[in-house]
Amino acid sequence: MSFNNSLFSRITSPQLTTVDVNPYQLGMEAASQTINHIENPNLLATKIIVPHKLIPRESCCPPPEV
């Protein structure tokens, strides 16, 4: 199993099941929260769930029927 749907998860054999965490949006949210906390030091921590998805591949799937 891999994380972040990297190129290596697709080129290995068998291909690795992965969790795609939407790194662009994750970075945008992290930057936004960092700026908010710099501008408002007394701001309480905020939880944000970034959309993500499981991409099943050969490492966790049964072999194809022949």
Side-chain angles (χ1 to χ4, degrees):
M1 190 130 181
S2 73
F3 183 73
N4 209 20
N5 198 22
S6 72
L7 171 64
F8 296 111
S9 65
R10 288 173 268 162
I11 64 173
T12 58
S13 180
Q15 289 185 343
L16 299 176
T17 294
T18 189
V19 177
D20 186 351
V21 295
N22 198 343
Y24 179 79
Q25 187 171 355
L26 188 62
M28 293 292 289
E29 293 294 348
S32 175
Q33 289 300 309
T34 300
I35 292 168
N36 286 341
H37 284 277
I38 289 170
E39 292 175 346
N40 304 299
N42 295 327
L43 193 63
L44 295 176
T46 306
K47 292 182 183 180
I48 297 174
I49 298 175
V50 175
H52 54 282
K53 64 181 173 181
L54 178 66
I55 302 173
R57 294 197 177 107
E58 297 166 351
S59 65
C60 292
C61 296
E65 292 185 32
V66 179

